[in-house]
Amino acid sequence: MPIAMPIGLIFGLAFGVLIWLLPASKVLLVAAGVASIVTVIRQPIRGLLLFCVIGAFIPYSTVQIGIRTTVSEALIMLTWASYLFQAMFFEQTAVPKMMRTERLLLALMLFSAFPFLIGQVTVVAEGNGPINWVRWLFNLSILFLVPRLLQDRKNLEHLVIAVLVGTLMLLVLSIPTYVINGSASAITPVLAIMGYGGLDVLGQSLLSLSSRMGSPWLHPNVAGGAMAMILPLAFCFGITRSGGARSLGLMVAALGGIGLLLTGSRGALFSLLAIMLWMARRRIPYLGRLLVGGGIAGMLLLMFYPPLQDRLLTLFGDDDTSTAIRFLEYTHFPQAMATFPFGIGFKTDPPVLGYTQFGISNLWLNFIYKLGLPGMLLFIAVTWSWWKEVRPESDRIILTHDNAIGMGCMIGVLAALFSGLFDHYFSFTSVLIALFWLFVGISLHETRRLRASPANTTHSPIASPDLGTSR
């Protein structure tokens, strides 16, 4: 008897009982969840594609799987389980030899066990250290899925489209909600429908950020950082494609720029502008036009949108609270280092109630806060090794259909690292760091592929010498 028949009978009986006991809406959700799990188990790449859509659209929608976690992180776990299950019973494509950056990241993950144990013993605070540590490790592990699931160019294209579709959905939800209501907290009821928890606390925290756009990323600075990282990929992908893919990329780039301004994240805005100037210096096509057009659009938005005026004027005012807090954080950081020389681990996030008063809004110093000085040095080693692998070999970058994805991911990671001078969100923020390390992995392996077979590079008309200069 074919195995499909008894399995079908079992599922039919199970859902029949569920329909009898539960409301139809919940049964449909259960059916959709089971169908998704079966699909991912059959093809692990679909789990990664689902992660990209959901992680970019509703990153903190939660699910109960024995522990409370986000749907995005649950999909990473399911993708790994599916890949390992497939590897046990079916022959898999050979995985390339680990690169130096991957080995260093693995060393960072292994080292994190030491501050994790130290924090469990020495830090008295509420929180589930083991669960937080495992979730962080899974977020980083997505880099190792890149050589296992994205060697096929078609899969890579689909993954980029999934990220852009999820980002577009987030922007289409967030921008109108904010423009119509004029408050960051206006999106809270929508997030409740999407399975977000702790909305009472979230609503209170967003009241102090009411002049800035709210989004499924919760904090406007986190949303700004996500936009700064994804926009370069959307731009590079859009100008080197045609048809629907081109429209998708350019639409995400345009709406993402507007969304970034509305979040009021100065660190993300500065980082993106700095990276765009670097791109223009490397003569990436149309960057000059984009900078001029973006400058004009930004000036018009600044002229006719008072909340943005108020946000930018705080740069030059004497009552810039966020900047004052950052100075206090830096002033008190040596005290935090002396209190926790080996880091606080994963039980809680800075500041630690009863020990310190301030966290730290800096990517690298936050690694010291959580993992100690060796943890920060390992992170620097990983990112420096990555840059040595992916940095362009010449001053002039010729953007082509073949290298656009790798180039967009590389520029996005640079923007994320630059924003680390002002914020810490790319160190231990769930889901956002998974996207960060996914971009690191894609840029790393795309660079290796392109350098291994330069003769096979397919040039797009965008790469012609006449269009290669910035205007």
Side-chain angles (χ1 to χ4, degrees):
M1 178 188 299
I3 192 171
M5 183 175 291
I7 291 177
L9 289 173
I10 292 171
F11 275 109
L13 179 61
F15 284 114
V17 173
L18 288 175
I19 291 173
W20 181 39
L21 298 175
L22 298 174
S25 58
K26 290 188 177 181
V27 175
L28 289 175
L29 288 175
V30 171
V34 171
S36 300
I37 292 172
V38 172
T39 300
V40 172
I41 290 176
R42 290 184 59 200
Q43 291 185 290
I45 182 61
R46 294 184 178 177
L48 197 55
L49 296 178
L50 278 173
F51 162 79
C52 289
V53 175
I54 294 176
F57 175 38
I58 44 173
Y60 300 125
S61 179
T62 59
V63 65
Q64 184 76 30
I65 52 171
I67 60 170
R68 197 73 184 176
T69 187
T70 65
V71 175
S72 306
E73 291 167 305
L75 282 169
I76 297 175
M77 300 174 192
L78 179 61
T79 301
W80 270 114
S82 172
Y83 174 79
L84 295 175
F85 176 80
Q86 293 282 342
M88 288 174 59
F89 297 101
F90 305 101
E91 185 177 352
Q92 300 292 310
T93 305
V95 179
K97 184 180 178 181
M98 288 183 68
M99 303 176 73
R100 186 170 184 268
T101 303
E102 294 171 305
R103 294 196 298 271
L104 286 170
L105 180 61
L106 186 59
L108 173 62
M109 296 169 71
L110 293 172
F111 170 78
S112 68
F114 175 68
F116 159 69
L117 293 173
I118 294 293
Q120 287 295 110
V121 173
T122 61
V123 177
V124 179
E126 292 185 4
N128 195 325
I131 297 301
N132 294 337
W133 180 47
V134 170
R135 289 174 63 186
W136 182 74
L137 291 175
F138 268 106
N139 277 274
L140 269 61
S141 74
I142 200 168
L143 181 144
F144 301 104
L145 286 173
V146 173
R148 288 163 173 80
L149 300 180
L150 297 177
Q151 294 186 52
D152 186 340
R153 289 286 298 171
K154 185 178 179 181
N155 287 341
L156 183 59
E157 292 268 343
H158 288 167
L159 180 133
V160 172
I161 291 173
V163 172
L164 297 183
V165 166
T167 305
L168 181 61
M169 293 165 67
L170 176 138
L171 292 167
V172 169
L173 169 67
S174 303
I175 294 176
T177 302
Y178 175 66
V179 170
I180 292 171
N181 297 279
S183 173
S185 58
I187 201 169
T188 306
V190 182
L191 298 182
I193 299 172
M194 295 179 174
Y196 277 55
L199 292 178
D200 292 337
V201 176
L202 173 62
Q204 291 296 321
S205 65
L206 289 179
L207 287 176
S208 62
L209 305 168
S210 59
S211 63
R212 302 166 66 180
M213 185 182 78
S215 77
W217 284 111
L218 302 184
H219 196 287
N221 284 354
V222 179
M227 292 302 104
M229 184 175 69
I230 294 173
L231 259 58
L233 174 61
F235 172 75
C236 292
F237 187 77
I239 66 171
T240 56
R241 265 56 182 179
S242 59
R246 179 183 181 87
S247 300
L248 175 63
L250 297 181
M251 190 180 300
V252 170
L255 289 178
I258 296 171
L260 177 54
L261 286 171
L262 295 180
T263 63
S265 175
R266 296 171 297 180
L269 182 59
F270 285 158
S271 64
L272 185 60
L273 286 175
I275 296 304
M276 287 177 67
L277 289 172
W278 177 81
M279 292 166 64
R281 183 177 174 274
R282 295 296 184 113
R283 300 183 181 181
I284 289 183
Y286 302 126
L287 244 295
R289 297 177 186 178
L290 184 64
L291 284 169
V292 172
I296 294 172
M299 289 299 296
L300 291 174
L301 189 60
L302 184 62
M303 290 170 60
F304 298 105
Y305 194 68
L308 184 60
Q309 298 172 11
D310 297 338
R311 179 62 181 165
L312 293 183
L313 285 175
T314 59
L315 289 171
F316 309 101
D318 297 327
D319 58 346
D320 186 359
T321 305
S322 61
T323 300
I325 291 175
R326 278 169 168 77
F327 278 114
L328 286 172
E329 290 175 347
Y330 280 98
T331 302
H332 289 79
F333 186 69
Q335 177 189 348
M337 286 186 63
T339 306
F340 302 105
F342 302 107
I344 64 173
F346 293 84
K347 185 179 291 185
T348 187
D349 290 320
V352 185
L353 188 64
Y355 295 87
T356 57
Q357 297 180 359
F358 297 94
I360 189 70
S361 297
N362 181 284
L363 172 62
W364 294 274
L365 297 184
N366 197 47
F367 266 93
I368 295 180
Y369 217 133
K370 295 279 285 187
L371 302 182
L373 183 60
M376 184 199 71
L377 295 176
L378 275 171
F379 176 72
I380 291 175
V382 173
T383 51
W384 181 247
S385 174
W386 166 81
W387 176 241
K388 287 175 67 176
E389 291 283 354
V390 303
R391 63 184 175 187
E393 296 178 330
S394 62
D395 289 337
R396 181 177 178 181
I397 296 175
I398 299 177
L399 197 61
T400 71
H401 184 283
D402 202 34
N403 70 9
I405 294 176
M407 194 65 62
C409 288
M410 179 200 75
I411 297 168
V413 172
L414 287 177
L417 291 174
F418 192 93
S419 71
L421 297 172
F422 313 101
D423 283 310
H424 63 278
Y425 299 113
F426 287 99
S427 52
F428 295 91
T429 303
S430 298
V431 186
L432 182 65
I433 61 171
L435 288 172
F436 172 83
W437 289 108
L438 177 65
F439 278 35
V440 169
I442 291 173
S443 60
L444 196 65
H445 285 276
E446 278 293 280
T447 300
R448 177 160 73 173
R449 179 186 66 81
L450 291 168
R451 289 178 180 171
S453 56
N456 295 329
T457 301
T458 303
H459 288 267
S460 164
I462 197 71
S464 64
D466 294 338
L467 296 177
T469 57
S470 176
R471 293 175 172 81

